[in-house]
Amino acid sequence: MKTQEMICIRCPMGCQLTVTQDENGYSVTGNTCRRGEEYGIQEMRCPMRVVTSSVKVTGGQRPVCSVKTAQAVPKSEIGAVLGEIAALRPSAPIHIGDVLAGDIAHTGVALIATAND
Amino acid sequence: MLVKKYDVAVIGGGPAGLAAALSAKEREPGLTVAVIERDKALGGILQQCIHNGFGLHYFGEELTGPEYANRFIERIKGSGVDVYLDTMVLELTPERRVVCVSAANGLMAIDAGAVVLAMGCRERTRGALNIPGTRPAGVYTAGCAQRLVNMEGLMPGKKVLILGSGDIGLIMARRLTWEGAKVVLVAEIMPYSSGLNRNIVQCLVDNGIPLKFNHTVTNIIGKERVEAVTVAEVDPRTRLPITGTEQTYECDTLLLSVGLLPENELTSAAGIDIDPVTNGAVVDETRQTSLAGVFACGNVLHVHDLVDNVSDEATLAGRAAAEYASGQASRQQTYAVKGVNGVRYTVPQRVHAGLDGKTDIYFRVGNAYRPATAVVRCGDTVIAKRRKQIMTPGEMEKITIDAALVTGDLTVGLEEVNPS
Ligand SMILES: Cc1cc2nc3c(=O)[nH]c(=O)nc-3n(C[C@H](O)[C@H](O)[C@H](O)COP(=O)(O)OP(=O)(O)OC[C@H]3O[C@@H](n4cnc5c(N)ncnc54)[C@H](O)[C@@H]3O)c2cc1C
Ligand code: SF4
């Protein structure tokens, strides 16, 4: 049996979780809601994070436009995702929700604009 | 001078001002409502907060700052609320005349039936802190660095030390790391962080950035540009540096994330009572200040950790402003609400008697307690109780009371606590 303490980051409450692994799989205690249970198990299997950053825009009102991954990507892929974001040079106009890359760093997740420019 | 009349005038077009204006219009669609914003765009400070985590409570989904702001900006567009951009408010008079200036209209006055103050807050700077040493380039507030990176696309430096573990500093530690800088240390003078736990995890722990509690900056080294920063441990009781514990970190940038101050110059000048703890106006449960017909909400009232709470509070203030402007103001007596026993402040600081329904009282504690029970008393009678596993100064707490039970002054205090 293996146990791990962690803080749930799915909402600002920041519950202190204890995740226990035994032959039946994972069990989570200390969570206030179901999302905490999901988080605890996911964190043991493969930690996932949403990446937020900005891209340089050609011809926009502002030099940069903010972006996010539409879903969480594996934590181990964050470096690769940031690398691809840094190389992007979309042109204005850009609207909130525009897809700037369909499959960022082969994660299967889209990169979308979070501001207008 | 151009003089206009509005039923409700909202000063500030950040999340608080936008929610207040929408709520006023919704409550009384016949009223004229104006938002006055000094910037070129609406949205306030959220426009530079490009990380996600906003709106979980208010919209039921995780949004970034600009996305959250945009939801309100889109609603403002079709609402009939008039927006004055690039317009700076210079003065509010006790007669509710709002004096402002813009390139388009020059000096202008708005005579308002009710006013909502929503000017937000600004960051404490080095001057407010008194760090000795030289004054080289490379010292920024965390919010200023946030603006540079996220709005201008510029990096403040390559090797960064951050003083203070407030949320903006934590978010910037990750942002700068992700943009290729090295964050050598986050130093926090207190034994705990004023930021959210989730930000310590996803910003610092995730990126291997060290955080030292009970540590502060004692010297800044460098002539033209920051070359190094000296950090020392502090005595937790006196918070003074302990000689012999100094360590010098090589870096080219020092970020200060040492707290926010409500922007209340207009408020004070209008003679409105200010709470010395929150640095914001003293208000009742409708967020009305000591000056009748003037309401306050958002960070100008007290510093919020979550914009969702700002939107909720602004909705209350906007609705009350509309009611005041249309002559439905409450004439009931108010009683004081006071923080005692570990509770540093409460908002509201006053409540009306003889109301129906529920009233939420927000408060902050002065220390970390686990577990803690907050108790609201009216005289000797307990009228509400709330137990939590942990209460920390970094998180705003809320306790809900039955408004009908208010028959005298209230106290909000901690009982059965374990300071940790
Ligand atoms: C640098 C910084 C970063 C932050 N990051 C986060 C974060 O990551 N997450 C989070 O939840 N909260 C964050 N906050 C807190 C955030 O401010 C609040 O959540 C929220 O934006 C507060 O809304 P507000 O409308 O009260 O203030 P603001 O967003 O500050 O809006 C106030 C508006 O009033 C305008 N104004 C002020 N004075 C005048 C005047 N005299 N005349 C005309 N207009 C005026 C300003 O230009 C501004 O647009 C941050 C705060 C700061 C200062
Ligand atoms: S367990 Fe639920 S309530 Fe607790 S932090 Fe996670 S998401 Fe939030």
Side-chain angles (χ1 to χ4, degrees), chain B residues 167-190:
Chain B
D167 285 313
I168 310 168
L170 299 177
I171 293 288
M172 283 314 291
R174 176 178 67 182
R175 181 78 177 113
L176 292 169
T177 306
W178 282 5
E179 287 294 310
K182 168 107 187 124
V183 177
V184 293
L185 178 74
V186 177
E188 168 59 61
I189 193 169
M190 302 300 285

Short mmCIF file of all heavy atoms in Angstrom, two decimals, chain B residues 167-190:
data_model
loop_
_atom_site.label_atom_id
_atom_site.label_comp_id
_atom_site.label_asym_id
_atom_site.label_seq_id
_atom_site.Cartn_x
_atom_site.Cartn_y
_atom_site.Cartn_z
N ASP B 167 -0.52 36.10 -4.48
CA ASP B 167 -0.89 35.37 -5.70
C ASP B 167 -0.24 35.90 -6.96
O ASP B 167 0.18 35.14 -7.82
CB ASP B 167 -2.41 35.36 -5.87
CG ASP B 167 -3.07 34.38 -4.91
OD1 ASP B 167 -2.59 33.24 -4.82
OD2 ASP B 167 -4.04 34.76 -4.24
N ILE B 168 -0.13 37.22 -7.07
CA ILE B 168 0.43 37.77 -8.31
C ILE B 168 1.89 37.36 -8.45
O ILE B 168 2.36 37.01 -9.53
CB ILE B 168 0.28 39.30 -8.36
CG1 ILE B 168 -1.16 39.70 -8.02
CG2 ILE B 168 0.64 39.85 -9.72
CD1 ILE B 168 -1.33 41.18 -7.76
N GLY B 169 2.63 37.37 -7.32
CA GLY B 169 4.02 36.94 -7.34
C GLY B 169 4.16 35.47 -7.71
O GLY B 169 5.04 35.09 -8.50
N LEU B 170 3.28 34.63 -7.17
CA LEU B 170 3.33 33.20 -7.47
C LEU B 170 3.04 32.96 -8.95
O LEU B 170 3.75 32.20 -9.63
CB LEU B 170 2.32 32.44 -6.61
CG LEU B 170 2.52 32.52 -5.08
CD1 LEU B 170 1.40 31.78 -4.35
CD2 LEU B 170 3.87 31.95 -4.68
N ILE B 171 2.00 33.60 -9.45
CA ILE B 171 1.62 33.45 -10.86
C ILE B 171 2.77 33.91 -11.76
O ILE B 171 3.09 33.28 -12.77
CB ILE B 171 0.34 34.28 -11.15
CG1 ILE B 171 -0.87 33.69 -10.40
CG2 ILE B 171 0.08 34.40 -12.63
CD1 ILE B 171 -1.40 32.39 -10.93
N MET B 172 3.42 35.01 -11.36
CA MET B 172 4.51 35.53 -12.18
C MET B 172 5.75 34.64 -12.11
O MET B 172 6.54 34.57 -13.05
CB MET B 172 4.86 36.98 -11.79
CG MET B 172 3.87 37.99 -12.32
SD MET B 172 3.46 37.73 -14.07
CE MET B 172 5.02 38.17 -14.85
N ALA B 173 5.95 33.95 -10.98
CA ALA B 173 7.09 33.02 -10.87
C ALA B 173 6.96 31.95 -11.96
O ALA B 173 7.92 31.63 -12.67
CB ALA B 173 7.11 32.38 -9.49
N ARG B 174 5.76 31.42 -12.13
CA ARG B 174 5.54 30.40 -13.17
C ARG B 174 5.64 31.01 -14.57
O ARG B 174 6.28 30.46 -15.45
CB ARG B 174 4.18 29.75 -12.98
CG ARG B 174 3.84 28.76 -14.08
CD ARG B 174 2.51 28.08 -13.88
NE ARG B 174 1.40 29.03 -14.01
CZ ARG B 174 0.12 28.69 -13.84
NH1 ARG B 174 -0.20 27.45 -13.51
NH2 ARG B 174 -0.83 29.59 -13.97
N ARG B 175 5.01 32.14 -14.74
CA ARG B 175 4.98 32.78 -16.07
C ARG B 175 6.39 33.06 -16.57
O ARG B 175 6.72 32.80 -17.72
CB ARG B 175 4.17 34.07 -15.96
CG ARG B 175 4.03 34.83 -17.24
CD ARG B 175 2.98 34.22 -18.15
NE ARG B 175 2.81 35.03 -19.35
CZ ARG B 175 3.14 34.62 -20.57
NH1 ARG B 175 3.62 33.41 -20.77
NH2 ARG B 175 2.97 35.41 -21.61
N LEU B 176 7.23 33.63 -15.69
CA LEU B 176 8.60 33.98 -16.10
C LEU B 176 9.42 32.72 -16.36
O LEU B 176 10.22 32.67 -17.29
CB LEU B 176 9.27 34.85 -15.03
CG LEU B 176 8.65 36.26 -14.88
CD1 LEU B 176 9.19 36.95 -13.64
CD2 LEU B 176 8.93 37.10 -16.13
N THR B 177 9.20 31.68 -15.54
CA THR B 177 9.90 30.41 -15.76
C THR B 177 9.51 29.84 -17.12
O THR B 177 10.35 29.42 -17.90
CB THR B 177 9.54 29.40 -14.66
OG1 THR B 177 9.79 30.00 -13.40
CG2 THR B 177 10.35 28.12 -14.78
N TRP B 178 8.22 29.86 -17.41
CA TRP B 178 7.71 29.33 -18.68
C TRP B 178 8.22 30.15 -19.87
O TRP B 178 8.28 29.65 -20.99
CB TRP B 178 6.19 29.29 -18.68
CG TRP B 178 5.63 28.12 -17.90
CD1 TRP B 178 6.36 27.22 -17.18
CD2 TRP B 178 4.27 27.72 -17.79
NE1 TRP B 178 5.53 26.29 -16.61
CE2 TRP B 178 4.24 26.57 -16.97
CE3 TRP B 178 3.07 28.22 -18.29
CZ2 TRP B 178 3.06 25.91 -16.65
CZ3 TRP B 178 1.88 27.56 -17.98
CH2 TRP B 178 1.88 26.42 -17.17
N GLU B 179 8.57 31.41 -19.62
CA GLU B 179 9.10 32.25 -20.71
C GLU B 179 10.62 32.17 -20.77
O GLU B 179 11.25 32.96 -21.47
CB GLU B 179 8.65 33.70 -20.53
CG GLU B 179 7.18 33.94 -20.85
CD GLU B 179 6.86 33.72 -22.33
OE1 GLU B 179 7.56 34.28 -23.19
OE2 GLU B 179 5.90 32.97 -22.62
N GLY B 180 11.23 31.28 -19.98
CA GLY B 180 12.66 31.05 -20.11
C GLY B 180 13.53 31.72 -19.06
O GLY B 180 14.75 31.57 -19.09
N ALA B 181 12.94 32.46 -18.12
CA ALA B 181 13.75 33.06 -17.06
C ALA B 181 13.98 32.05 -15.94
O ALA B 181 13.31 31.02 -15.87
CB ALA B 181 13.05 34.30 -16.50
N LYS B 182 14.94 32.37 -15.06
CA LYS B 182 15.18 31.50 -13.90
C LYS B 182 14.72 32.26 -12.66
O LYS B 182 15.18 33.38 -12.40
CB LYS B 182 16.68 31.20 -13.82
CG LYS B 182 17.12 30.56 -12.54
CD LYS B 182 17.46 29.09 -12.76
CE LYS B 182 17.75 28.41 -11.43
NZ LYS B 182 16.90 27.25 -11.17
N VAL B 183 13.80 31.68 -11.91
CA VAL B 183 13.37 32.30 -10.65
C VAL B 183 14.16 31.63 -9.53
O VAL B 183 14.00 30.44 -9.26
CB VAL B 183 11.85 32.17 -10.43
CG1 VAL B 183 11.44 32.77 -9.09
CG2 VAL B 183 11.09 32.86 -11.57
N VAL B 184 15.08 32.41 -8.91
CA VAL B 184 16.02 31.79 -7.96
C VAL B 184 15.38 31.56 -6.59
O VAL B 184 15.76 30.61 -5.90
CB VAL B 184 17.32 32.61 -7.82
CG1 VAL B 184 18.10 32.58 -9.12
CG2 VAL B 184 17.04 34.05 -7.41
N LEU B 185 14.42 32.40 -6.21
CA LEU B 185 13.83 32.25 -4.88
C LEU B 185 12.56 33.09 -4.76
O LEU B 185 12.48 34.17 -5.33
CB LEU B 185 14.84 32.72 -3.81
CG LEU B 185 14.37 32.66 -2.34
CD1 LEU B 185 14.35 31.21 -1.85
CD2 LEU B 185 15.27 33.49 -1.43
N VAL B 186 11.61 32.59 -3.97
CA VAL B 186 10.51 33.43 -3.49
C VAL B 186 10.70 33.55 -1.98
O VAL B 186 10.75 32.53 -1.28
CB VAL B 186 9.13 32.82 -3.81
CG1 VAL B 186 8.01 33.69 -3.23
CG2 VAL B 186 8.94 32.67 -5.31
N ALA B 187 10.90 34.78 -1.48
CA ALA B 187 11.11 35.00 -0.04
C ALA B 187 9.85 35.60 0.55
O ALA B 187 9.29 36.55 0.02
CB ALA B 187 12.29 35.94 0.17
N GLU B 188 9.39 35.03 1.66
CA GLU B 188 8.16 35.51 2.32
C GLU B 188 8.50 35.83 3.77
O GLU B 188 9.01 34.98 4.49
CB GLU B 188 7.08 34.42 2.22
CG GLU B 188 5.85 34.65 3.08
CD GLU B 188 5.11 35.95 2.78
OE1 GLU B 188 4.63 36.11 1.65
OE2 GLU B 188 5.02 36.81 3.69
N ILE B 189 8.21 37.06 4.19
CA ILE B 189 8.58 37.49 5.55
C ILE B 189 7.74 36.81 6.62
O ILE B 189 8.19 36.56 7.73
CB ILE B 189 8.50 39.04 5.66
CG1 ILE B 189 9.19 39.52 6.94
CG2 ILE B 189 7.06 39.53 5.58
CD1 ILE B 189 9.39 41.02 6.99
N MET B 190 6.49 36.44 6.25
CA MET B 190 5.60 35.80 7.23
C MET B 190 5.85 34.30 7.27
O MET B 190 6.47 33.73 6.38
CB MET B 190 4.14 36.07 6.84
CG MET B 190 3.76 37.53 6.74
SD MET B 190 4.00 38.42 8.27
CE MET B 190 2.58 37.82 9.20
#
